[in-house]
């Protein structure tokens, strides 16, 4: 579905106003170290990550759509990121689950859950 690509593209702008365009007002994020339950908390988390990892590139690999219905869709994928922390190249990956809902004509992200890879 195009909404995941739109979300990834918005994330890679490093401008939260672009990300916010594809977020549901009630979006909730489960990160490995924090739960964000408001748009303001999500914004602070994104902006902190972009400040920490300079020139970050975020990608979704192996996307699997578990549910595609008229007003909701859920996918899983392996996320990959790369960028520079303190001037040194870094990269990583983990697992992601995204839940989208359709509001009017727009698909919006209402939930994201990110976790590390199993050990």
């Amino acid at each position: 579905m195009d909404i995941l690509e739109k979300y990834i593209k918005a994330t890679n702008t490093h401008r939260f106003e672009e990300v916010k365009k594809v977020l549901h007002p009630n979006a909730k994020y489960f990160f490995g170290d924090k739960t964000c339950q408001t748009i303001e908390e999500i914004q602070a988390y994104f902006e902190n990550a972009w400040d920490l990892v300079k020139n970050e590139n975020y990608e979704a690999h192996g996307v699997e759509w578990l549910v595609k219905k008229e007003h909701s869709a859920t996918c899983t994928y392996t996320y990959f990121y790369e960028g520079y922390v303190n001037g040194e190249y870094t990269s990583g990956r983990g697992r992601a689950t995204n839940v989208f809902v359709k509001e009017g004509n727009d698909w919006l992200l209402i939930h994201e859950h990110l976790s590390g890879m199993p050990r």
Side-chain angles (χ1 to χ4, degrees), residues 47-116:
E47 290 177 346
N48 183 63
W50 292 329
D51 192 44
L52 179 66
V53 183
K54 304 292 185 195
N55 300 317
E56 181 188 23
N57 179 56
Y58 184 83
E59 299 174 4
H61 296 225
V63 177
E64 182 179 350
W65 289 96
L66 305 176
V67 176
K68 284 185 184 179
K69 301 249 179 185
E70 185 179 351
H71 295 287
S72 67
T74 301
C75 68
T76 61
Y77 56 90
T78 299
Y79 70 81
F80 171 80
Y81 71 89
E82 62 183 343
Y84 294 86
V85 175
N86 298 322
E88 293 197 23
Y89 177 80
T90 189
S91 66
R93 63 190 181 105
R95 298 185 296 179
T97 302
N98 286 18
V99 180
F100 300 93
V101 294
K102 191 168 186 181
E103 298 276 327
N105 293 324
D106 298 321
W107 283 96
L108 302 172
L109 179 65
I110 194 162
H111 178 63
E112 179 167 272
H113 186 159
L114 302 179
S115 61

Side-chain angles (χ1 to χ4, degrees), residues 12-32:
N12 283 326
T13 68
H14 302 169
R15 292 191 318 267
F16 191 77
E17 286 305 312
E18 293 301 311
V19 175
K20 189 175 177 180
K21 292 177 184 177
V22 297
L23 294 184
H24 189 279
N26 296 327
K28 181 184 283 192
Y29 277 59
F30 292 166
F31 294 109

